[in-house]
Amino acid sequence: MARGKLRIYLGAAPGVGKTYAMLSEAHRRVERGTDCVVAFVEHHGRPRTEVMLHGLEQVARKDLEYRGTAFTEMDVDAVLERAPAVALVDELAHTNVPGSRNAKRWQDVEELLQAGIDVVSTVNIQHLESLGDVVESITGVRQKETVPDEVVRRADQIELVDMSPQALRRRMAHGNIYKPDRIDASLSNYFRPGNLTALRELALLWVADRVDEYLQQYRGEHNIRSTWQARERIVVGLTGGPEGRTLIRRASRMAAKGSGSEILAVYIARSDGLTAASPKELAVQRTLVEDLGGTFHHVIGDDIPAALLDFARGVNATQIVLGSSRRKTWQYVFGPGVGATVARESGPDLDVHIVTHGEVAKGRGLPVARGARLGRSRIIWGWLVGVGGPALLTVLLTNVDADLGLANDMLLFLTLTVAAALLGGLLPALASAAFGSLLLNYFFTPPLHLWTVSDNKNIVAIAVFVGVAVSVASVVDLAARRTHQAARLRAESEILSFLAGSVLRGETSLEALLERVRETFAMESVALLERAGDTDPWTCAGSVGDGRPMLRPEDADVDMPVGDHMALALSGRVLPAEDRRVLAAFAAQAAVVLDRKRLQSEADQARTLAEGNRIRTALLAAVSHDLRTPLAGIKAAVSSLRSDDVEWSQEDEAELLEGIEDGADRLEHLVGNLLDMSRLQTGTVTPLIREIDLDEVVPMALGGVPDGSAELDIPETLPMVAVDKGLLERAVANIVENAVKYAPEGEPVKVSASALGERVEVRVVDRGPGVPDTAKDRIFAPFQRYGDAPRGAGVGLGLAVARGFVESMGGTLTAEDTPGGGLTMVLTLRAAAGRPPVRPDLSAQVIS
């Protein structure tokens, strides 16, 4: 199912007309034939906004009680069950009452969007999370209800509802926003001209962010690399170390100083195997960035300063935030470091901020997830030290007038061999040992400048030097490889632990798992491909990344088979063989996630089919007995009347005809309930909501019960109700007939109504045997009879149909115990806005 589209009306302050504009758009869509409903709209007593609700279908709200006070919230389940094309949801930043389905209304909206329902919503600029401090500094009021910026940014369309501060204050003074007792205080506090002007500017700047998307597209099409400082963009360079959190928070404070600033955190991974940072720490930093309204990016590049600058210029950034180097003092001999290089090459269009932190000069420690390979740059340095070092040392020793002795010369050459082993591994070290021994023989062993050795002791010394050099190089290289292998195994164990945890937690998001694969192996894109058979074409079950599309495993740089007909395909670079073990675990987990997702879908379908089979089985049972009984009575009466053997008196004929009429009425009632239940099961019941009086409907619903079996008490002062007249009549008729069926002889059923706030209750009270609490919900299930009800008493659909009709009109039907014994059915309906209830004059009664 495709995700629904979100449209947001954004305003600078309350009263600018967001809800009015939203309702106007709803009326336009309804006129075009769009299925549009009001999921939740709060008119706040504003007459013009309230009038706009007329003519729009409204989904009933959910009643909640919190600390002794009743509240109403949007009923997400009811909206999902109604499944309209478009739902109107007011006040996106609203915090739901404790006990609701979600803590925030924007989370409710997210569920509707996931279900494929388009949503139109409203929000004020002061409710955006990133602007909380700015708004508080302007107005002096801290907004408690906020919505993450990213939720609003993801909207498919944002429309600014703008109004000048002067016009808004006039609207306030005319009483179109707040009640008269709040106007003066509002105009002199929150609605001051300066406040409204500043909030308006914030709203205009925030909406202008959308224009930036077109700017980025234009710059890309025209290959513009220089920075256009149209707005502040702050890039945070992350290394995966713990100092990243400090950098992100510092960048957030910098962004808060100017409205509209954007934070982009970037981690640059090398292309030599598994990433060098802790996946756990990167996940924490990603969450922190997103919570602060920024975005997290993963970039591949061996030259970190160049990659960072390319990224910053590519996103049109204006500032870069980096942390002070964690390298120790002696490590600066290998280069100035990333921070200094970026600052030197940034140019005049990028400001570079170096931020201190608690990890300065503490060293980087061992890489958490580096491969056993040393990398291209280290190997080059190893060869340079192993071959160039002995040559430079020879030049130095031959030009310095100091006779150190052969033993000391050998130690110096041995030091270079060890350094070559540390940097480049075994091969540069062996080359250094061989080259150093030749130089020692030619320049430092008598006879000088000849390849011969006159003293046997010197021959032994050189041989020992070569042996020691080779041994030390082997040991150093082996230790380095064991260290890298331990680091790799640690990284692999963290990844496998993550996979095992995701299985235990039951995580079923295939896209999230593929994104983790892409980030772990520093790939451009990852896709899970599958096919039905050996000769069938491959199809993509899920993919992430921006790389080229992969239609076959052969098109990828790396493919990992999963069984016979599934493969994990990665593009970006070729992985070393040692990385494929972890990739195999990822591939197996991806297959498990996909199978779990499909099994869940099949289980849902099986559940639906099982419910349908249960309904059909019960229907066949009803048809086989309950419909046959009245037919048999009609058939017997008709056969008796047509018989020529018996001459019936007028009284007998009247009795037989009455039996035929009763049987036909029972058949009509049973067939009507069966058809109604079928409409409810297929979702084809569409109420035609109108404002009516209860005394026009309830008396007509009592026509199917014997005279005197029901007493009616419907006050004329009740407010009108917003219902479908026909559905309400059928629902009340079924409830009353059920109550009369179980009521004792001589105890009439009482039908009364009363107003309660914005609700009207109809109560049907009987003095029958009652129903225990454990069975109160079951009596509303289709084809259910309670107790020892006779088979001819119906098919058990009356209450199920009644509840279905009532809920389709936005009401509720529940069962309660009658004080003193019996059962009370409580039918709750929405009061219409047309006529308020008339309350008795209690003061006049007291005076009299």
Side-chain angles (χ1 to χ4, degrees):
M1 178 181 295
R3 177 183 170 87
K5 295 183 178 180
L6 176 61
R7 178 172 182 173
I8 294 178
Y9 286 92
L10 178 67
V16 295
K18 303 180 301 302
T19 304
Y20 190 93
M22 178 178 66
L23 294 174
S24 299
E25 174 65 19
H27 280 285
R28 286 192 292 271
R29 296 196 183 197
V30 170
E31 291 174 359
R32 295 195 299 265
T34 304
D35 183 15
C36 183
V37 302
V38 176
F40 188 97
V41 169
E42 190 63 63
H43 56 74
H44 296 291
R46 298 166 188 167
R48 296 185 180 180
T49 305
E50 186 176 358
V51 169
M52 293 297 293
L53 286 169
H54 294 174
L56 297 176
E57 179 185 346
Q58 301 185 43
V59 178
R61 301 182 185 182
K62 187 175 183 179
D63 295 325
L64 294 172
E65 184 175 344
Y66 180 65
R67 294 183 177 178
T69 305
F71 298 90
T72 59
E73 294 288 358
M74 180 174 69
D75 193 338
V76 180
D77 291 324
V79 179
L80 292 174
E81 183 178 358
R82 172 63 176 78
V86 181
L88 308 184
V89 183
D90 206 2
E91 300 178 355
L92 185 63
H94 173 73
T95 300
N96 293 330
V97 175
S100 301
R101 183 188 186 100
N102 295 303
K104 289 285 192 176
R105 184 164 295 162
W106 64 263
Q107 296 171 324
D108 297 336
V109 168
E110 186 66 24
E111 287 197 38
L112 301 183
L113 294 174
Q114 292 291 343
I117 301 174
D118 293 346
V119 177
V120 183
S121 188
T122 65
V123 71
N124 282 329
I125 192 68
Q126 66 264 29
H127 294 297
L128 296 182
E129 193 170 79
S130 66
L131 300 179
D133 296 337
V134 179
V135 173
E136 183 179 12
S137 65
I138 294 172
T139 64
V141 178
R142 183 69 179 184
Q143 296 295 331
K144 296 182 179 180
E145 293 185 330
T146 59
V147 58
D149 290 40
E150 187 59 26
V151 174
V152 183
R153 287 185 183 277
R154 286 200 304 262
D156 300 274
Q157 184 175 353
I158 299 177
E159 183 171 333
L160 179 65
V161 182
D162 190 27
M163 177 175 288
S164 68
Q166 294 78 10
L168 184 57
R169 284 172 59 83
R170 283 196 301 270
R171 177 179 288 184
M172 170 70 72
H174 293 160
N176 294 330
I177 300 178
Y178 292 151
K179 295 181 180 180
D181 57 346
R182 298 179 58 189
I183 293 177
D184 291 339
S186 299
L187 289 175
S188 59
N189 290 285
Y190 193 89
F191 284 81
R192 293 195 303 268
N195 289 358
L196 296 178
T197 302
L199 292 174
R200 186 188 187 198
E201 182 182 13
L202 282 180
L204 291 171
L205 288 173
W206 202 92
V207 174
D209 290 346
R210 301 301 290 256
V211 182
D212 189 68
E213 297 178 5
Y214 300 102
L215 176 63
Q216 293 296 336
Q217 181 180 356
Y218 178 85
R219 284 168 51 84
E221 292 173 354
H222 294 78
N223 196 25
I224 299 173
R225 304 296 296 169
S226 60
T227 300
W228 289 0
Q229 296 190 6
R231 56 170 299 173
E232 291 293 334
R233 270 198 184 85
I234 304 174
V235 171
V236 184
L238 302 177
T239 65
E243 77 279 1
R245 307 182 200 181
T246 302
L247 303 184
I248 293 170
R249 294 190 180 97
R250 181 71 179 98
S252 177
R253 292 195 297 271
M254 293 169 58
K257 295 179 180 179
S259 61
S261 298
E262 184 179 355
I263 302 175
L264 301 94
V266 57
Y267 171 73
I268 299 175
R270 297 184 183 274
S271 60
D272 58 352
L274 296 175
T275 57
S278 168
K280 184 185 301 183
E281 182 63 30
L282 280 180
V284 172
Q285 294 176 14
R286 175 196 289 271
T287 303
L288 178 60
V289 170
E290 293 174 349
D291 289 343
L292 293 174
T295 56
F296 186 92
H297 303 268
H298 219 98
V299 177
I300 301 172
D302 291 323
D303 189 344
I304 294 179
L308 181 61
L309 289 171
D310 288 342
F311 175 83
R313 294 190 176 106
V315 298
N316 201 27
T318 58
Q319 302 180 58
I320 297 178
V321 175
L322 298 174
S324 297
S325 178
R326 287 186 292 158
R327 296 191 300 174
K328 296 184 180 297
T329 304
W330 63 269
Q331 292 177 311
Y332 282 95
V333 299
F334 298 105
V338 174
T341 304
V342 171
R344 184 182 67 247
E345 300 179 1
S346 61
D349 53 354
L350 271 173
D351 297 334
V352 179
H353 304 267
I354 305 297
V355 179
T356 59
H357 50 82
E359 301 296 322
V360 175
K362 291 185 177 180
R364 293 183 176 272
L366 292 175
V368 177
R370 280 295 295 267
R373 295 183 303 157
L374 297 176
R376 182 178 180 182
S377 61
R378 288 191 58 178
I379 293 175
I380 292 175
W381 275 103
W383 281 102
L384 289 175
V385 172
V387 177
L392 292 176
L393 181 61
T394 301
V395 173
L396 180 63
L397 293 176
T398 55
N399 288 279
V400 175
D401 188 13
D403 187 8
L404 301 178
L406 183 60
N408 291 327
D409 293 338
M410 287 184 177
L411 289 177
L412 291 176
F413 278 92
L414 183 61
T415 301
L416 292 176
T417 302
V418 173
L422 288 172
L423 289 173
L426 182 61
L427 291 180
L430 294 178
S432 177
F435 187 46
S437 64
L438 293 176
L439 293 177
L440 283 170
N441 181 20
Y442 190 80
F443 288 99
F444 303 102
T445 305
L448 299 179
H449 307 298
L450 293 175
W451 298 108
T452 60
V453 181
S454 59
D455 191 346
N456 294 332
K457 295 180 180 179
N458 293 335
I459 296 176
V460 174
I462 293 176
V464 170
F465 166 77
V466 174
V468 171
V470 172
S471 301
V472 170
S474 301
V475 171
V476 171
D477 179 71
L478 181 61
R481 290 182 179 275
R482 290 291 182 264
T483 300
H484 286 297
Q485 289 174 1
R488 166 174 290 278
L489 292 175
R490 178 182 174 186
E492 291 181 0
S493 66
E494 287 186 1
I495 294 171
L496 295 176
S497 175
F498 163 79
L499 290 176
S502 65
V503 173
L504 295 176
R505 292 189 298 269
E507 296 177 356
T508 57
S509 175
L510 179 62
E511 289 71 19
L513 182 63
L514 296 181
E515 180 64 24
R516 183 61 183 265
V517 174
R518 189 183 73 84
E519 292 182 358
T520 300
F521 296 97
M523 287 293 184
E524 295 179 359
S525 63
V526 180
L528 184 63
L529 306 177
E530 62 174 348
R531 60 181 177 180
D534 295 335
T535 59
D536 294 319
W538 291 92
T539 59
C540 182
S543 63
V544 296
D546 301 325
R548 65 182 186 274
M550 292 174 285
L551 303 179
R552 301 176 305 167
E554 295 81 6
D555 299 334
D557 295 318
V558 180
D559 69 284
M560 175 59 65
V562 187
D564 296 331
H565 304 123
M566 189 176 296
L568 191 63
L570 299 85
S571 68
R573 63 187 179 86
V574 178
L575 285 180
E578 57 266 25
D579 286 350
R580 295 182 67 87
R581 181 175 59 176
V582 179
L583 182 60
F586 272 112
Q589 176 64 8
V592 170
V593 168
L594 183 61
D595 289 342
R596 184 188 296 121
K597 182 178 180 181
R598 289 175 175 171
L599 288 174
Q600 182 62 42
S601 177
E602 292 176 359
D604 294 339
Q605 295 178 3
R607 192 179 300 110
T608 303
L609 292 174
E611 179 64 19
N613 288 333
R614 190 185 69 83
I615 296 294
R616 283 191 289 270
T617 301
L619 178 60
L620 290 174
V623 171
S624 64
H625 188 283
D626 295 282
L627 296 182
R628 182 182 297 175
T629 300
L631 282 175
I634 294 173
K635 174 66 175 177
V638 171
S639 299
S640 299
L641 289 174
R642 296 188 50 157
S643 175
D644 296 332
D645 300 336
V646 180
E647 184 175 351
W648 303 99
S649 64
Q650 292 183 352
E651 291 79 5
D652 293 336
E653 288 182 357
E655 184 177 352
L656 291 173
L657 291 173
E658 183 179 358
I660 294 174
E661 185 177 10
D662 291 341
D665 289 341
R666 289 176 57 190
L667 277 178
E668 181 183 11
H669 182 72
L670 292 173
V671 172
N673 278 338
L674 290 172
L675 293 177
D676 290 340
M677 197 64 220
S678 176
R679 292 169 59 200
L680 289 171
Q681 291 289 336
T682 57
T684 57
V685 176
T686 305
L688 185 61
I689 304 299
R690 293 289 186 270
E691 298 180 0
I692 61 173
D693 286 313
L694 280 178
D695 55 10
E696 298 178 8
V697 180
V698 177
M700 299 176 61
L702 304 183
V705 297
D707 294 338
S709 60
E711 295 180 355
L712 194 60
D713 181 16
I714 306 295
E716 296 181 357
T717 56
L718 286 177
M720 302 176 74
V721 291
V723 295
D724 183 303
K725 182 178 180 180
L727 296 183
L728 179 60
E729 181 181 341
R730 292 292 302 276
V732 174
N734 282 358
I735 297 171
V736 174
E737 289 175 6
N738 184 79
V740 170
K741 186 189 307 179
Y742 290 98
E745 189 71 25
E747 287 284 348
V749 173
K750 296 182 179 179
V751 182
S752 61
S754 60
L756 182 62
E758 297 182 356
R759 299 278 175 171
V760 175
E761 287 188 352
V762 178
R763 307 178 74 88
V764 180
V765 182
D766 68 63
R767 294 292 181 178
V771 176
D773 293 338
T774 55
K776 282 187 171 64
D777 287 334
R778 292 203 306 270
I779 62 176
F780 294 104
F783 304 102
Q784 295 291 323
R785 295 184 183 87
Y786 177 69
D788 56 353
R791 292 292 301 177
V795 293
L797 285 176
L799 294 181
V801 170
R803 172 174 273 189
F805 283 170
V806 171
E807 290 180 348
S808 69
M809 296 182 292
T812 60
L813 178 60
T814 58
E816 299 178 356
D817 291 330
T818 302
L823 188 67
T824 298
M825 291 291 178
V826 183
L827 192 158
T828 306
L829 303 170
R830 289 183 295 116
R835 190 175 74 196
V838 178
R839 303 185 185 279
D841 189 354
L842 298 180
S843 61
Q845 296 178 9
V846 172
I847 294 174
S848 61

